[in-house]
């Protein structure tokens, strides 16, 4: 088979975590207006679905873009061990930014970028509910 084009491989992971959306930059009333129920002081949980898309040339020897066991190992070590069944507000990455799913998506992208071969990570997509998803590609 010929062709030097890029191929893409995506894989889904489950991530359960809790968060509370609140920022000290806003008043209590402004926080409620911005975040609604998600500003509840007791926090709440989500079963996030994290989709990681990697891309690159197909290795002629293996026929693969990336070995999925390598990707799983990186996602487990960098993302799941850090965030799964945790309170996102307690993570150092969210000490100075609100753990919205936009920011979670960016945090996951940054952590994976450091753990995968240069240029392989294309994007991270996080589904928060069946109706909401967020996507970040680092651009
Ligand atoms: Ni929420």
């Amino acid at each position: 088979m010929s062709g030097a084009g890029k191929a893409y491989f995506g894989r889904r992971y489950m991530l359960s975590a809790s968060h509370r959306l609140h920022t000290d930059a806003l008043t209590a009333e402004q926080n409620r207006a911005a975040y609604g129920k998600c500003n509840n002081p007791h926090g709440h949980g989500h079963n996030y679905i994290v989709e990681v898309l990697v891309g690159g040339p197909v290795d002629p020897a293996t026929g693969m873009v990336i070995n999925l066991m390598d990707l799983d190992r990186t996602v487990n070590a960098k993302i799941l061990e850090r965030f799964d069944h945790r309170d996102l507000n307690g993570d150092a990455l969210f000490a100075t930014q609100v753990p919205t799913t936009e920011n979670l998506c960016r945090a996951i992208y940054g952590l994976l970028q450091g753990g995968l071969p240069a240029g392989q990570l294309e994007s991270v997509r996080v589904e928060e509910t069946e109706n909401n998803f967020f996507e970040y590609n680092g651009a």
Side-chain angles (χ1 to χ4, degrees):
M1 229 177 298
S2 65
K6 227 177 197 187
Y8 297 89
F9 173 68
R11 191 151 163 84
R12 294 159 74 85
Y13 301 89
M14 306 298 292
L15 169 61
S16 298
S18 65
H19 69 173
R20 180 196 182 204
L21 303 184
H22 178 90
T23 172
D24 291 338
L26 299 176
T27 65
E29 194 181 332
Q30 288 169 330
N31 269 289
R32 278 195 296 274
Y35 300 124
K37 284 189 295 189
C38 295
N39 184 238
N40 175 324
H42 303 294
H44 60 277
H46 289 284
N47 294 316
Y48 298 100
I49 296 169
V50 177
E51 292 186 352
V52 178
L53 186 69
V54 297
V58 175
D59 184 319
T62 64
M64 299 191 296
V65 174
I66 187 173
N67 184 318
L68 78 84
M69 284 180 287
D70 292 341
L71 182 61
D72 283 358
R73 198 175 303 118
T74 301
V75 172
N76 276 314
K78 299 274 183 185
I79 308 302
L80 301 181
E81 284 177 17
R82 179 166 188 153
F83 296 129
D84 194 35
H85 288 82
R86 300 291 172 88
D87 168 23
L88 297 178
N89 296 73
D91 189 283
L93 276 172
F94 298 113
T96 56
Q97 53 179 347
V98 185
T100 57
T101 306
E102 290 91 324
N103 281 336
L104 177 61
C105 209
R106 292 199 307 174
I108 291 173
Y109 185 96
L111 290 167
L112 287 181
Q113 201 177 29
L116 292 171
Q120 266 196 348
L121 181 60
E122 293 286 341
S123 63
V124 171
R125 181 179 190 268
V126 179
E127 286 182 23
E128 182 186 53
T129 69
E130 62 185 65
N131 295 320
N132 294 350
F133 65 89
F134 301 86
E135 194 161 335
Y136 186 67
N137 67 7

